[in-house]
Amino acid sequence: MKYVKPLRLFEQMLKRKVSKRGRFLGLDVGDKYVGLSISDPKNKIASPLSVLLRKKNTIDLMAEDFRSLISEFNLEGFIVGYPFNRQQNAADAVQVKLFIDDLSATKKLEDMKYAYWNEGFTSKGVELLLNPLDLHPVEYKTILDKFAAVGILQEYLDNANRKVNLKANVLRPIIN
């Protein structure tokens, strides 16, 4: 796996023919689960996809799951939630880095690119929406992880599309 700066990853996707452009997979990495979201084919809207059980001894199986998703959805890259607003060595940050390192070590995703995106308080925001629903704990956690991944990916898509559109508008001559 290869790290690419977030906007660069989006720009690389835009350089392809429209029919060859891939989608993005959002990841919310937790200690037990990885929430997944997927962008639409135009890379404008993020939707919940699934949750993978995360165990150290199943990283090879997870890599195979990711390979299947890459093929099924023609994935361009992974947008991985990262807690930039905390200290670099915070447990959550280390957890995300270790997950990416473990996934890379399988050598099953060597062509896949990924970028980190600030996860901010995506889980907190989803928690506030879910708390009044009185869900079963397993259902609650599954929905929380998927929708936290949606929040991460949607923020990335909004930001990248806004910056690309801004660049296009600045470069376009003004006609009166």
Side-chain angles (χ1 to χ4, degrees):
M1 290 177 51
K2 181 182 180 207
Y3 173 78
V4 179
K5 290 182 178 182
L7 191 55
R8 188 97 173 118
L9 184 58
F10 199 82
E11 288 170 342
Q12 288 174 356
M13 176 271 303
L14 289 175
K15 288 180 182 175
R16 300 181 195 276
K17 288 183 181 178
V18 173
S19 62
K20 302 273 187 195
R21 290 181 183 169
R23 296 161 78 173
F24 293 100
L25 189 73
L27 283 73
D28 178 50
V29 179
D31 57 341
K32 294 181 184 176
Y33 301 99
V34 178
L36 304 177
S37 62
I38 186 80
S39 66
D40 69 321
K42 293 183 178 183
N43 289 308
K44 303 279 186 195
I45 308 276
S47 299
L49 185 63
S50 65
V51 174
L52 298 177
L53 181 61
R54 180 180 176 208
K55 290 184 180 178
K56 180 80 171 164
N57 62 349
T58 61
I59 196 71
D60 283 317
L61 292 173
M62 289 183 84
E64 288 298 328
D65 288 341
F66 283 119
R67 283 174 56 134
S68 295
L69 292 171
I70 290 165
S71 174
E72 181 180 349
F73 293 108
N74 185 32
L75 294 179
E76 187 78 29
F78 297 158
I79 305 304
V80 183
Y82 190 85
F84 286 111
N85 57 343
R86 299 180 194 151
Q87 293 176 347
Q88 286 296 89
N89 62 355
D92 292 345
V94 170
Q95 178 173 272
V96 173
K97 290 271 194 193
L98 285 174
F99 176 74
I100 294 299
D101 289 348
D102 290 346
L103 211 50
S104 295
T106 67
K107 304 282 189 215
K108 294 181 179 184
L109 302 168
E110 288 186 328
D111 294 336
M112 185 51 52
K113 297 173 186 167
Y114 70 95
Y116 291 117
W117 192 254
N118 189 6
E119 68 178 22
F121 294 98
T122 51
S123 293
K124 248 333 162 199
V126 176
E127 282 176 13
L128 292 171
L129 294 171
L130 293 179
N131 284 341
L133 300 180
D134 194 34
L135 299 169
H136 184 277
V138 173
E139 188 179 25
Y140 177 90
K141 184 67 175 140
T142 302
I143 293 172
L144 175 69
D145 290 336
K146 277 194 279 191
F147 279 90
V150 168
I152 292 162
L153 182 56
Q154 190 63 57
E155 285 182 19
Y156 169 76
L157 294 172
D158 290 347
N159 187 281
N161 279 298
R162 187 172 36 253
K163 286 189 176 178
V164 166
N165 290 335
L166 184 62
K167 260 187 186 177
N169 288 335
V170 168
L171 296 176
R172 186 178 305 139
I174 298 172
I175 302 172
N176 286 329

